Amino acid sequence: MSEVIQRAIAKRDKDLRPNVEANDGGLIQCSTDGKYFFFMHEDNEPDMHKIIFSSYMEQIVKAVLGDTAYYTHSEIVVKRGEGDKDMSGRTAFAWHQDSGYVPYEHTPYLSCWCALTEMTTNNGTISVLPIERNPSEDENHKINWCAKPRPSAVTEFPCYQHRNDDNSPDLIGYFGSDLGIEVLCPVGSIVVFSSLTLHCSSPNHSKALRSAYNVQYAPVPLMSEDSQSFRHNADPFIVESKIAHEVEKWQQ
C-alpha cells in the first residue's frame, strides 16, 4: 500500500497547480490544506480489490452486518507531515458522523478504517465517541433521524444535523466537551465503526505522512435521494452468508 500511495501522490503533485483543487474523474482529489483524498482508488490499482474483498474483511462484515453486504465506497486519506508548522490544525478533521455527509435519511453503513501507518497522538490519529455517550438533543445537536447502527441492533441512535466548518470544507456534528477515545494502534490495525459513530482526528504534527484506508460496506445499497440510482458502488460481497461469486477471484 505504501507504493500505491507514493504513486498516487506523485501523480497528483505533478498535475496539481499551486493552490488549486484538482479532481481526476472523481477518483483522486487533493485539497491544498495538507490532506489528500483518493476515492475508489481500486479503479487505478486493481489489486486493492484483494483488500476490499479479502477473507478478513469478509469475517468482519459478516459479524457486523450479517448475511448480506455490499461494498459501497473507499478512500485513502493521507495527511502531510506538517511538523510544528500545523499550528492551525489544518490537517485535522472535525467531529462528524459519516452519515452526516449523506444529506437524507438512509440505512447506516459500516466503516473499516485501516491504519496504513502507526497511529499516534502526534501524527493525527482518530478519536471515536462511544455511541452510548452521544449528546442529548439540544440547540447544538439537532437530530435529523434515528436508525439502528447495524441490522441486529435493538436500539436506534441519532444522525445529527451537521454544520459547515467556517475554516475548512468539513462538516461538524458534535460540539460537546467529551474527547472520546483516542485510537492508538500499530500499522495494519482495523477500526470498525458505524456511519452513525461520531469521530474526529487530530493534526499531523509529525514530519512523516499519516495514511489510512477507509473501506465501507452496507447491508443494502446506498441509494440516491430519489432512489433512482446508487449513490456509490453497490457491489455484492456477501449473499446468503456466502461470498458473492463475482468477487471470489480476489480471495484466491
Side-chain angles (χ1 to χ4, degrees), residues 148-161:
K148 297 177 181 179
R150 60 186 184 279
S152 62
V154 175
T155 305
E156 292 189 340
F157 291 93
C159 179
Y160 297 99
Q161 290 181 16

Side-chain angles (χ1 to χ4, degrees), residues 31-194:
S31 69
T32 55
D33 63 356
K35 294 181 289 212
Y36 285 85
F37 306 85
F38 301 87
F39 299 121
M40 317 294 278
H41 200 53
E42 66 274 7
D43 290 350
N44 293 342
E45 300 275 356
D47 277 354
M48 293 181 71
H49 288 97
K50 294 179 180 179
I51 300 173
I52 295 168
F53 299 117
S54 63
S55 58
Y56 52 87
M57 287 299 197
E58 178 188 359
Q59 294 176 49
I60 292 170
V61 173
K62 272 185 181 178
V64 180
L65 297 183
D67 296 342
T68 302
Y70 298 83
Y71 161 64
T72 63
H73 188 258
S74 69
E75 59 183 2
I76 301 171
V77 181
V78 182
K79 296 183 178 185
R80 286 283 192 187
E82 297 291 297
D84 293 334
K85 295 185 295 181
D86 191 7
M87 299 308 293
S88 65
R90 68 179 188 158
T91 56
F93 286 94
W95 279 104
H96 67 280
Q97 299 165 300
D98 290 342
S99 280
Y101 280 83
V102 181
Y104 49 86
E105 187 172 352
H106 57 275
T107 299
Y109 49 93
L110 179 71
S111 288
C112 294
W113 187 87
C114 309
L116 302 181
T117 49
E118 181 183 6
M119 293 294 164
T120 69
T121 300
N122 193 47
N123 73 359
T125 190
I126 61 170
S127 294
V128 298
L129 189 68
I131 208 161
E132 63 272 11
R133 284 157 53 181
N134 277 354
S136 300
E137 187 168 25
D138 58 28
E139 61 181 8
N140 288 318
H141 302 100
K142 300 293 186 181
I143 294 174
N144 276 340
W145 48 270
C146 294
K148 297 177 181 179
R150 60 186 184 279
S152 62
V154 175
T155 305
E156 292 189 340
F157 291 93
C159 179
Y160 297 99
Q161 290 181 16
H162 284 54
R163 304 178 195 168
N164 292 317
D165 185 349
D166 293 335
N167 300 312
S168 79
D170 294 358
L171 296 179
I172 307 176
Y174 177 60
F175 301 88
S177 59
D178 192 327
L179 299 179
I181 297 174
E182 190 176 47
V183 178
L184 306 177
C185 60
V187 60
S189 301
I190 302 176
V191 184
V192 180
F193 54 90
S194 166

